Structure formats: C-alpha cells, structure tokens
Amino acid sequence: MAMQAAQQQSASGNWKLDADDGGGAGLALNSHSRVLLMAKLGENAGIKVPLPTPTLIPLIGPNTTPAPPVIPPVGGIPSVSILICNMFDAATETEPHWDEDIREDVLEECSKHGQVEHIKVDTVRQGGMVFVRFNSIDAATKTANALNGRFFAGRTIISAFLERSVYDEMVR
C-alpha cells in the first residue's frame, strides 16, 4: 500500500521513491540537501541539528580584485612604550650600519607624533623588532595607530604597546 502511494505521488511529479534494488533510481542528494534532510529529520525527532555556516570563497579573476588583508588592531594596553614588528629581516640585510638607517627612519616617523625618549633596533631576535619609548601615552598611541598596517620596505608593520617592565627587559 505504501508502494502504491509512492508511485502515485511519483506520477504527480512531486517526488519519487523506488525500491532499493540498486537500479540507481531514487532520491538523489548532494551534500547540502543531505545536511538539510538530516536537520529536518532531527527536528521531527526533537533533536536540534546545527547547520553549518556556508564558507564563501572569493573568486579571483581578471575582473575581480582580492580583498585587502585584515590588519589586526594595535595590541596591548596603551602605554608610553611600543613595539614595532616586521620592520626588517636581519638575515637578509647586507648594507653596513643598516640598523642605524632603520633607527633614523623610525625616529623621523615617530617624532611626527610626539617626543621620543628611546629607540632600539633589535638585530638579534627574529621578527624585525624596533622598540620605542615616548614621553607620553598620547604620542605612543598616535604613533602605534599611524604605523600599524603600513608598509615599510615591502613589509606590513604591526605595532603593539608594551608595559614599562617588559620594555625594559626587552631592550637590555
């Protein structure tokens, strides 16, 4: 009797349910419709089935432009000390006194936002780090915000605030 009902509905064009005889006929599901079916069955049984959120993959072609990278906000709690990362790669620097050139460039840029008390270019650790201490939190904040996400020598700069004790430890 159920088979007759299935055949009748099939004849009306709503859906088709065949016997599982391996003939390939029956309900064809893709992954999305299978997830929706499972959610509906779970709902009928009183089970909440979470639906996956769709992932959008941007298409990049001749008529599209890729989305700009997302720059994280300046990290840390505002203080008079900042860390500027990704300024250089010491392993690839070949010019003599390259660290002094970077120090002068950073001093010039930071001085636009306030008085700089101390700068150290770290040539030992990886990460292209430059440590800068200002005379005020306002100057440090303006500089950190101005530099964060900018490019220097083809590299994206990331800046963060440092507590005074951490700054003092790192610049020793």
Side-chain angles (χ1 to χ4, degrees), residues 103-140:
R103 184 183 187 286
E104 289 171 12
D105 289 343
V106 171
L107 178 60
E108 181 181 335
E109 192 63 32
C110 291
S111 295
K112 293 177 183 178
H113 305 284
Q115 184 179 346
V116 175
E117 292 184 348
H118 180 260
I119 292 182
K120 179 181 180 186
V121 176
D122 190 335
T123 60
V124 179
R125 295 184 198 108
Q126 291 183 347
M129 298 185 287
V130 179
F131 299 88
V132 185
R133 185 174 59 230
F134 294 85
N135 70 335
S136 70
I137 291 175
D138 183 57

Side-chain angles (χ1 to χ4, degrees), residues 10 13 28 35 39 54 56 61 86 91 110 143 157 167:
S10 176
V35 167
L56 299 177
N86 204 32
C110 291
T143 302
I157 299 171
Y167 182 90

Side-chain angles (χ1 to χ4, degrees), residues 89-111:
D89 180 0
T92 62
E93 296 292 342
T94 58
E95 296 291 321
H97 308 293
W98 60 266
D99 55 328
E100 282 300 315
D101 292 338
I102 290 176
R103 184 183 187 286
E104 289 171 12
D105 289 343
V106 171
L107 178 60
E108 181 181 335
E109 192 63 32
C110 291
S111 295

Side-chain angles (χ1 to χ4, degrees), residues 46-98:
I47 301 170
K48 175 71 174 148
V49 177
L51 294 175
T53 56
T55 304
L56 299 177
I57 300 172
L59 299 175
I60 299 175
N63 296 329
T64 61
T65 57
V70 176
I71 304 299
V74 176
I77 299 170
S79 70
V80 296
S81 307
I82 66 170
L83 168 62
I84 306 168
C85 298
N86 204 32
M87 289 286 295
F88 57 89
D89 180 0
T92 62
E93 296 292 342
T94 58
E95 296 291 321
H97 308 293
W98 60 266

